[in-house]
Amino acid sequence: MAKKLMKGCEAIGEAAIRAGCKLFFGYPITPQNEIPEYLSHRLPQVGGTFVQAESEVAASNMIYGAAGTGERVFTSSSSPGISLMQEAVSYLAGAELPVVIVNIMRAGPGLGGILPSQADYFQATKGGGHGDYNTLVLAPWSVQEAADLVADAFDLADYYRNPVYVLGDGLIGQMMEPVLFREDRKPLKDLPPKAWASTGWKGDRPRAVINSLYLDADTLERHNQDLQAKYATMRRDEVRWQGYGLDEDYDVLIVAYGTVARVCLTAVEELREEGVKAAILRPITLYPFPYEALRQAASKARAVLVVELSAGQMVQDVQLAVAGARPIHFHGRTGGNLVSPDEAAAKVREVLDGRSQEVRDA
Amino acid sequence: MFERRITIVVGHFGSGKTEIAVNGAVRIAEGGVPVSLIDLDVVKPYFRTREARELLCGLKVEVVAPDGENATADLPIVLPRVRTLCRDTSRKVVVDAGGDDTGARVLGSLSDVLAGQDPDLLLVLNFRRPFTPDVRSAVAMAREIEAAARLKVTGIVSNTHLMAETTADIVRDGLRMAREVADVLGVQVRAVAVEEGLGRVIAAAEGPGCEVFPLRRIVQPPFGTPRLGVPRSGPLFVLR
């Protein structure tokens, strides 16, 4: 297939279809409406089903039910809508159901605004709903990577029987870039048949009852221990990140994800031309976070700078990784404002000449 | 292009209407003619004409779009001044409509004031967009837009591109298909739009038998395509 010029939202929708997903349940919210819009056109063409639910609460419980059949299931929303889905996400994690959830983040809190944000980092990476659970979180920085990570997300969800988030700021959903869908893509993992799926009992096996209710304390504790062992495997095996300039000398290590990392890369290229040495570590998985890679990369730098479209949420994971070995600085914008390359470059200069205050209490 | 008093830019969602409308208004202003650029985009929430308001005001283009909090609202706001401008023969007007027939429906609501003004309705085509991959789908989309707008397409702008990955072949193929659409609709391809700086592409498209309209990308995110000049390291994915 020739390259297409696609909006991030369209590429996400197409990637889901190509991953074999034929079931979408969702509710409109800006800035991700083009995902349901695209799928409402495309799913009927491939024999799939598109349902606009009456709310995000309904949509998230529809994906719970549909995922129980073993089919590949998908929903998307933006920040306030994702908040409404958190009860169901906890149930999905508890019942070990594979679904892919795309959050194209907008500025909050509350209804906030429709402009880009990365302020759902805590919600996505630290559980989000009630109980002890985690979800894999993949954060693309381009339209192509958004499409690729959606494909990966379906494989990972099936492999771990766990919800997987693809987390993009509003720009990821709205910007347009060339995209190529490879016909020869191979699954990331060996995926066994879904023997656990509830597809109708024919008397030849135990009934497949899908539930997150465990009234006996010891049974529920064992279930939690199993879940924790699964999350430990994810932390061991699924860390993804990319470095830019890490093999060269650098004084400042920038940590940024999503489109902000592209802004920072533009800044780093400008800074290098004027002799200021900075490098970037871009987490691609936010859960699991690349603690060890970051610890090593930070050890080569004089200081670490975190840049985010939030008041400073990823800063806490950076602090855990760096563990006090280097000063950590932060630059963030909120409300839907973007960080500009000039702003990021200016902050790097401030870190180096002592005008920037390091983060102490995040 | 942009010779008539009112030029309305329509097309499929993501075909490049906004950039062509913005560049056209700038060109009119540079010629010393008073011009208003009407942002009627009620479809997309980002990268709208209004985001270039400051730059355009500096270039003496009046931007007619919701302001204040409403500028960043996803609400279908049509300002009262839009109807006034449609009748105001002292100024040129460029209208950036929203994508598809959905966006063109707003034009339909203005058909009573637009009909007597003989507007130019330019259809922008990018055959690299997913829902208009061929002539048949582009013609179908044009018919839907005409029905919703209650206006006929009067010309086509060939805007087939892949941003920084645009090649001369991509531009030429797009132009060829745009001509086929033009034949079906009974109009002309009025210009082929090519991003400024893609010099070799413009050179290759030269002699297409129509105007080459150099586009300056104005409404875009604050970064370029990642360059591979900076050495990369680190695992993209670790499989154990």
Side-chain angles (χ1 to χ4, degrees), chain B residues 11-28:
Chain B
H12 181 67
F13 174 65
S15 57
K17 295 173 297 301
T18 295
E19 292 293 13
I20 285 165
V22 169
N23 278 268
V26 168
R27 180 193 279 201
I28 294 169

Side-chain angles (χ1 to χ4, degrees), chain A residues 179-207:
Chain A
V179 186
L180 183 67
F181 292 96
R182 297 192 177 282
E183 305 294 345
D184 58 351
R185 183 185 177 276
K186 301 272 188 296
L188 282 183
K189 309 269 189 187
D190 286 333
L191 299 173
K194 294 175 178 176
W196 51 264
S198 194
T199 54
W201 188 60
K202 297 161 197 79
D204 55 348
R205 58 169 167 84
R207 288 181 186 273

Side-chain angles (χ1 to χ4, degrees), chain A residues 12 100-104 136-140 145-146 149-151 153 164-168 172:
Chain A
I12 285 166
V100 173
I101 304 168
V102 172
N103 180 3
I104 301 297
L136 286 166
V137 184
L138 312 176
E145 196 177 52
L149 290 183
V150 164
V164 177
Y165 278 108
V166 175
L167 196 68
I172 284 289

Side-chain angles (χ1 to χ4, degrees), chain A residues 244-267:
Chain A
Y244 305 88
L246 293 184
D247 298 333
E248 322 232 315
D249 290 335
Y250 50 89
D251 294 314
V252 176
L253 176 69
I254 298 176
V255 187
Y257 70 97
T259 62
V260 180
R262 285 173 72 168
V263 172
C264 291
L265 183 56
T266 307

